[in-house]
Amino acid sequence: MSEHDLDLEFGQSTPIADGFSSSLCFAHVSARTSSGRTILSDISGCVPRGNMLAVLGPSGSGKTSLLDILANRSTISIDGKIWLDGTTPRDDKQIRNRVRYVQQEDALIGALTVRETLLFAARLGRTTATSPTASGKRALYQHVDGVISRLGLSEQANTKIGTPIQRGLSGGQKRRVSVGEKLVADIGGSDDNSCVVLVLDEITSGLDAVAAYEVVSRVKEFAEATGMIVVASIHQPSTATFTLFDSVLLMSQGKQVYFGPVNQVKDYFAKQGLIIPSNYNPAEFLLEITNTDFIATKEQSSHLQLAKEFLGDRDQIDELWHAWNASEEATLLEALLCNTVSEEHLDRNLRSDSRLGGLSGITITSRNTMILVQRAVIKGYRDILAYGVRVVMYLGLAVLMGTVWLRLSANETTIQSFFNAIFFGSAFMSFMTVAYIPAFLEDFATYKKESHENLYGPAAFLLANVIVGLPFLFLITILFAVVEYWMTGFRSSATAFFRFVMWLFLDLVAAESLVVLVSVIAPIFVAALAITAFANGLWMAVGGFLVQPNVLNKFWYYTFYWIDYQRFVFEGMIFNEVEQRSYSCPWTSEGGCSGCMYAATEVEDGVCRISGKTVLDARGYGGGNRTGLWVGLVIAIAIAMRLLAYAWLRFMARRVGN
């Protein structure tokens, strides 16, 4: 085979490419962990425009690590060179906006339709900060509909993605929507902003053979029509799916054992003494000869008996690796890589600049915030699990409390019951915000996917979360208060009622801020649930109601007691209810009012009255009503938790190189 023949093979389906002049190339890429373990060793390849490269290999071969490097998602130590269209990424902003990454698991918002999902992705991906004109909007819609049509989703355009309780798209259709999100972004009217490289991680995982073929074939059609480069790791594809790819990179244990056209796989391995039977899936054959995890099973594989000298120990991988390095194909590939870009362009090692993905910068935060708000509002009124269930939960709590503490009268025997009702209501309103964790984690998964490409940053994400969340929390507060306040028999005053609402609202705002902080640090449902539940239990325990502050252990008193937002909410609600109220106790002829539980004064008709201030003093709340200070502290704590969440997201963004 000549260099000219190999060039033609790689460029045969490229409508806008001229050989390798418009291509994604990587040369001698190696990667190591912080502990020094080698993950990739000397990996090279080149993919022209309009072509699809399959990255094939057994589990642990380094496929995902290579894709992460190509998509600039890797934080490990990297050596080697990568260039796109003949130049290295000397200007991050010029290159980053041209690579897209589709992760293995679909991170989609289930309440949105296919068209809405792609429209929001297109709007977030616009590179201009100004609002689109009427003609611009029409062009945006036409572009999105064109992508939907090319991906074979026209009939499902108005179908919801689907949630755990609402059926939606199939697995293959969801995977195509995930691909579509990458294809619609960066519609700014410039070819420089178009998606040039699409990186797909295990795109067919979890799909049957028919669905996998449909997904890959649609991507291939798009690549051929637009000249897009596709690099996809794929796990055990069917023969039909495998032949859709133009070239294949075979890896094992981080080493390269083949790179070349798919239709030359049989000829290459035949020269190595490995004959692929005519009735056998070539991809499955390649995986079997490179998989060292099941050596004993391989010995019994009938169709590999002719190649037993390659099987039986891990040295087979080294033999295949040495065979590749000594092959004519490897020599021709090296020559092509040298001819694709001149040495003066290769002036930057990946160690000093490993960015090759993402956008040219974060667009104006306010614009992105409003787009995210619109998306969240649509999700909010459609997603029963995220919001409807929570409304039912809080209304249920209100009815429960209203019937347990039903029509309490203002006498000395009910004072403790009033205190208990206020504590239980404020504490459990806060505790029940754990129900928000699943909805937030869905949003957070979408954020992580989109922020990797710099569609927006943590500021826009958290601002949108606050803007959408506050009205909903206020609605919950009003619904709860209207039911529970009057059923329990709290002080009959409009001022007292609205202060009650204010305190519950602040309680929920702070509690949801805690959920956000915990969930961004530990974005795993069980972990976030456990940590948030523990934190709420801690606030209840050290707030001064269950254990008096003067009895509380010094450690808890000087630490969490002073940052316990539930404590400030509870004290504010207690003063709101008790301070301006009096409680009756029976007068006796023998002792007058001396038999009352609290100091009381006799009033007319033989009734003793206990003032609210007396109750507060007796129960250790004699420091006075400091509502303004408490409101400020709760707001400050809520803001502090949001800022900590923002700081954490910024830290993680810098850590991964965003």
Side-chain angles (χ1 to χ4, degrees):
M1 177 188 297
S2 68
E3 180 178 327
H4 175 69
D5 293 333
L6 187 61
D7 184 56
L8 290 178
E9 280 291 345
F10 280 107
Q12 62 183 356
S13 62
T14 310
I16 67 172
D18 179 15
F20 281 99
S21 60
S22 297
S23 56
L24 169 69
C25 297
F26 45 98
H28 309 294
V29 173
S30 299
R32 295 176 302 279
T33 64
S34 57
S35 61
R37 183 173 66 89
T38 299
I39 298 177
L40 297 175
S41 178
D42 203 28
I43 308 297
S44 299
C46 210
V47 193
R49 291 286 196 100
N51 278 23
M52 294 179 61
L53 168 67
V55 182
L56 195 65
S59 299
S61 60
K63 302 188 300 295
T64 298
S65 296
L66 177 62
L67 264 58
D68 286 344
I69 292 171
L70 296 179
N72 189 43
R73 297 167 64 96
S74 179
T75 59
I76 58 179
S77 177
I78 303 168
D79 290 312
K81 301 183 185 298
I82 299 175
W83 61 95
L84 179 61
D85 291 349
T87 58
T88 54
R90 289 175 297 173
D91 181 1
D92 277 0
K93 292 184 178 181
Q94 184 180 2
I95 300 296
R96 277 192 261 169
N97 60 347
R98 311 183 78 183
V99 181
R100 290 288 172 268
Y101 185 97
V102 179
Q103 57 195 21
Q104 184 172 347
E105 296 183 359
D106 300 310
L108 302 169
I109 298 177
L112 300 182
T113 65
V114 172
R115 179 174 283 111
E116 289 168 344
T117 299
L118 298 190
L119 277 173
F120 279 115
R123 292 175 62 191
L124 287 168
R126 289 177 62 248
T127 56
T128 57
T130 58
S131 299
T133 61
S135 60
K137 290 181 179 178
R138 285 194 300 271
L140 194 67
Y141 275 80
Q142 290 172 358
H143 176 75
V144 168
D145 286 339
V147 172
I148 290 174
S149 176
R150 282 179 171 173
L151 292 176
L153 294 168
S154 296
E155 294 184 3
Q156 293 79 32
N158 296 314
T159 301
K160 294 178 183 177
I161 303 299
T163 67
I165 61 174
Q166 292 176 312
R167 187 174 180 179
L169 302 179
S170 66
Q173 291 166 344
K174 288 181 180 178
R175 198 61 51 85
R176 278 180 274 163
V177 173
S178 295
V179 173
E181 283 188 305
K182 312 304 175 183
L183 303 180
V184 298
D186 294 320
I187 310 305
S190 171
D191 291 339
D192 291 337
N193 294 324
S194 61
C195 174
V196 172
V197 181
L198 183 64
V199 179
L200 309 170
D201 186 15
E202 299 284 3
I203 188 175
T204 60
S205 293
L207 304 181
D208 58 47
V210 175
Y213 179 84
E214 184 67 20
V215 171
V216 176
S217 64
R218 293 290 183 176
V219 174
K220 182 176 178 62
E221 291 174 7
F222 203 100
E224 291 180 339
T226 62
M228 181 177 61
I229 298 169
V230 179
V231 180
S233 64
I234 191 164
H235 182 70
Q236 200 167 358
S238 66
T239 302
T241 300
F242 184 59
T243 55
L244 290 174
F245 290 90
D246 300 285
S247 54
V248 59
L249 169 62
L250 181 62
M251 300 170 59
S252 183
Q253 298 181 352
K255 299 177 180 179
Q256 179 174 346
V257 296
Y258 176 73
F259 178 88
V262 169
N263 57 17
Q264 294 183 15
V265 167
K266 288 187 177 182
D267 294 339
Y268 172 80
F269 283 98
K271 290 189 294 185
Q272 312 305 323
L274 295 166
I275 308 299
I276 303 178
S278 58
N279 62 343
Y280 203 78
N281 182 351
E284 185 174 344
F285 180 92
L286 297 180
L287 288 173
E288 289 201 31
I289 65 172
T290 54
N291 194 326
T292 60
D293 293 336
F294 307 101
I295 294 174
T297 303
K298 288 182 178 181
E299 286 284 1
Q300 303 169 5
S301 182
S302 59
H303 70 276
L304 290 175
Q305 290 301 309
L306 294 176
K308 285 182 63 176
E309 65 272 14
F310 284 88
L311 307 174
D313 58 56
R314 299 182 184 276
D315 291 339
Q316 62 176 312
I317 304 302
D318 290 332
E319 294 183 33
L320 289 172
W321 179 51
H322 288 301
W324 162 253
N325 289 330
S327 68
E328 178 187 2
E329 288 80 0
T331 302
L332 291 174
L333 174 61
E334 185 68 22
L336 284 171
L337 291 173
C338 292
N339 292 335
T340 302
V341 62
S342 59
E343 283 301 319
E344 61 267 20
H345 284 147
L346 297 182
D347 58 355
R348 196 159 190 174
N349 191 282
L350 283 178
R351 184 185 302 279
S352 61
D353 186 359
S354 61
R355 293 217 44 107
L356 194 62
L359 278 174
S360 59
I362 303 175
T363 55
I364 296 178
T365 299
S366 59
R367 189 209 71 172
N368 286 338
T369 299
M370 296 315 300
I371 295 174
L372 294 176
V373 166
Q374 294 172 24
R375 187 169 70 178
V377 168
I378 294 175
K379 172 187 175 180
Y381 74 78
R382 288 182 186 169
D383 194 343
I384 297 175
L385 190 64
Y387 295 100
V389 171
R390 294 175 67 194
V391 170
V392 173
M393 285 174 53
Y394 284 107
L395 283 176
L397 178 64
V399 172
L400 169 66
M401 291 189 61
T403 52
V404 171
W405 286 277
L406 183 62
R407 298 192 184 96
L408 296 177
S409 58
N411 60 65
E412 65 173 357
T413 61
T414 61
I415 292 176
Q416 184 61 47
S417 296
F418 276 111
F419 272 74
N420 293 343
I422 291 172
F423 173 78
F424 185 90
S426 61
F428 274 83
M429 284 282 283
S430 174
F431 188 89
M432 289 170 64
T433 55
V434 296
Y436 178 54
I437 292 176
F440 180 80
L441 288 179
E442 182 184 50
D443 293 339
F444 187 58
T446 304
Y447 160 76
K448 289 196 295 183
K449 175 186 68 176
E450 294 171 340
S451 66
H452 267 300
E453 295 165 2
N454 286 345
L455 295 183
Y456 55 88
F461 171 64
L462 293 175
L463 282 174
N465 177 267
V466 171
I467 293 172
V468 174
L470 290 181
F472 178 72
L473 294 180
F474 187 72
L475 172 64
I476 288 177
T477 303
I478 290 293
L479 293 175
F480 177 88
V482 166
V483 174
E484 193 259 350
Y485 191 87
W486 306 109
M487 288 182 69
T488 301
F490 288 125
R491 188 159 63 94
S492 297
S493 164
T495 301
F497 172 76
F498 285 112
R499 282 183 178 173
F500 180 87
V501 169
M502 176 195 70
W503 282 117
L504 282 183
F505 176 66
L506 292 176
D507 189 31
L508 286 178
V509 170
E512 191 157 292
S513 298
L514 174 65
V515 168
V516 170
L517 174 60
V518 171
S519 297
V520 299
I521 295 176
I524 302 171
F525 174 70
V526 174
L529 179 65
I531 296 172
T532 306
F534 175 82
N536 276 284
L538 174 64
W539 303 141
M540 294 182 199
V542 304
F545 175 74
L546 298 177
V547 180
Q548 294 297 313
N550 59 344
V551 180
L552 188 64
N553 179 281
K554 297 299 182 183
F555 170 78
W556 300 114
Y557 179 79
Y558 286 110
T559 54
F560 295 98
Y561 175 78
W562 292 101
I563 59 172
D564 186 352
Y565 65 88
Q566 288 189 21
R567 167 206 162 194
F568 303 124
V569 169
F570 173 72
E571 292 184 4
M573 295 177 75
I574 285 297
F575 272 86
N576 179 57
E577 171 61 25
V578 176
E579 187 178 28
Q580 298 183 28
R581 199 168 192 179
S582 63
Y583 301 87
S584 64
C585 70
W587 179 88
T588 61
S589 57
E590 294 83 3
C593 296
S594 61
C596 295
M597 298 172 61
Y598 301 89
T601 58
E602 182 180 353
V603 296
E604 59 185 30
D605 300 326
V607 177
C608 297
R609 305 300 298 182
I610 305 171
S611 70
K613 291 183 178 181
T614 300
V615 174
L616 292 171
D617 290 340
R619 298 185 69 98
Y621 299 102
N625 189 341
R626 291 171 286 181
T627 297
L629 174 63
W630 294 329
V631 168
L633 288 172
V634 175
I635 294 175
I637 291 172
I639 292 175
M641 287 190 284
R642 297 278 180 170
L643 291 177
L644 285 173
Y646 172 79
W648 177 262
L649 292 178
R650 292 295 299 171
F651 168 74
M652 295 303 295
R654 290 192 178 95
R655 186 177 179 186
V656 299
N658 282 344

